[in-house]
Amino acid sequence: MMQQTNIKKSIVYMTHYSKSSHVGTSLSIADILYTLYFKVLNVDPFNPECPERDKFILSKGHGSAALYATLAERGFFPKDFLDRYYVNGGLLPGHLDKFAAPGIELSTGSLGHGLSVGVGMSIANGSSGNPGQVYVLLGDGECNEGSVWEAVMLSATLRLSNITAIIDYNRLQGFGETNEVINQENMAARWTAFGWNAFEVNGHDTVELERVFRIKSDRPKVVIAHTVKGKGVSYMENRLEWHYKSPNEEQYKQAIAELDGLL
């Protein structure tokens, strides 16, 4: 629990300190990343390139603060790296860079590419007998991209059983509600129609998340995680403006107090 809270506090600190954006989407996926990196993934911070490791791709690369904070909390690199997030001359760029720090599997930022690369990793693991699993987290708005559905169709055709897609289903994207931009209703039915096994969960319930991540499947699996953008900070929750804003000093102090359970 302390690690879970630390990840969220680091996200708020990083976006406040660097005056950068995407704090809302990062808090949206913090509980998912905590569950994966502390309960599910076969990864070793002391051997991050182990060939048989599980691989995680954050396809919505603008949520990088969440992954950096999680990797630092898990011990992949020192926490003082987070002071160099999204600043001039810094170490950790706003969109993910595979070569910026250990544990980052893929450079991402342009939406719609992560699942296709994950499919390639899945095929490579399967053909070589590598037991590693592949997990790819996408935003619900990102599912507007046609390349996502090409990867969905190929995965089902090949019946890839070692790949799991996770949808951060918070119903908000940069310029409005997802259903206002392109209707995203019946998400599970859409993936099921393409041949995937679909599961819907509360994306902030770590027990339920772990349970569905561990379910074996004979075909590709998608976990549709119902989440709240800005989860954990009252004035950010379900508020579109926190897609791009960063907290000022007063807002930062309130957010940390709320995450510490003091308000």
Side-chain angles (χ1 to χ4, degrees):
M1 183 66 181
M2 180 178 293
Q3 294 153 329
Q4 193 175 356
T5 301
N6 286 345
I7 291 169
K8 297 175 184 178
K9 289 168 64 177
S10 291
I11 291 169
V12 175
Y13 166 74
M14 294 161 69
T15 52
H16 164 67
Y17 182 77
S18 64
K19 296 181 174 56
S20 63
S21 57
H22 301 130
V23 61
T25 197
S26 295
L27 289 171
S28 180
I29 61 175
D31 295 317
I32 298 170
L33 296 192
Y34 165 76
T35 305
L36 286 170
Y37 277 90
F38 285 87
K39 297 187 175 187
V40 176
L41 294 183
N42 176 30
V43 292
D44 181 358
F46 300 102
N47 188 14
E49 296 297 324
C50 175
E52 296 185 347
R53 70 189 183 281
D54 293 337
K55 294 181 178 177
F56 171 76
I57 296 172
L58 181 59
S59 190
K60 45 181 286 181
H62 55 286
S64 59
L67 182 57
Y68 294 142
T70 303
L71 291 173
E73 190 68 27
R74 187 70 172 79
F76 279 85
F77 49 78
K79 289 187 178 180
D80 60 11
F81 278 27
L82 303 181
D83 294 335
R84 302 176 65 188
Y85 166 74
Y86 220 150
V87 294
N88 288 335
L91 178 64
L92 304 176
H95 283 188
L96 287 170
D97 180 349
K98 172 179 170 55
F99 302 102
I104 302 167
E105 296 287 354
L106 183 68
S107 301
T108 55
S110 298
L111 296 175
H113 299 165
L115 187 58
S116 295
V117 177
V119 169
M121 292 176 175
S122 170
I123 294 171
N125 280 359
S127 63
S128 64
N130 189 321
Q133 300 291 305
V134 180
Y135 297 80
V136 182
L137 195 158
L138 307 98
D140 48 4
E142 185 180 5
C143 292
N144 297 350
E145 303 283 348
S147 55
V148 171
W149 297 100
E150 293 177 24
V152 168
M153 288 188 288
L154 178 60
S155 303
T157 298
L158 299 178
R159 294 186 71 90
L160 301 177
S161 60
N162 59 352
I163 188 168
T164 298
I166 307 156
I167 309 299
D168 175 29
Y169 198 21
N170 62 33
R171 297 175 181 271
L172 289 174
Q173 58 190 95
F175 299 105
E177 296 184 11
T178 51
N179 285 346
E180 293 176 340
V181 180
I182 289 181
N183 185 4
Q184 298 281 9
E185 292 294 343
N186 304 316
M187 184 75 83
R190 296 180 189 205
W191 286 71
T192 300
F194 277 93
W196 287 54
N197 278 336
F199 302 85
E200 293 195 69
V201 298
N202 177 342
H204 303 294
D205 183 336
T206 59
V207 174
E208 188 65 6
L209 282 166
E210 181 180 3
R211 184 187 70 79
V212 297
F213 285 147
R214 294 192 182 283
I215 292 174
K216 300 294 185 185
S217 176
D218 62 351
R219 62 184 65 189
K221 181 172 74 177
V222 60
V223 176
I224 298 166
H226 292 267
T227 56
V228 175
K229 199 157 193 163
K231 177 67 175 177
V233 178
S234 60
Y235 61 85
M236 294 184 188
E237 290 190 354
N238 279 322
R239 299 293 297 271
L240 179 61
E241 64 263 36
W242 290 101
H243 189 91
Y244 290 114
K245 284 181 65 175
S246 65
N248 61 29
E249 184 66 22
E250 181 180 353
Q251 291 165 335
Y252 168 69
K253 290 178 180 177
Q254 179 180 338
I256 296 299
E258 288 189 12
L259 292 170
D260 278 332
L262 301 177
L263 292 179

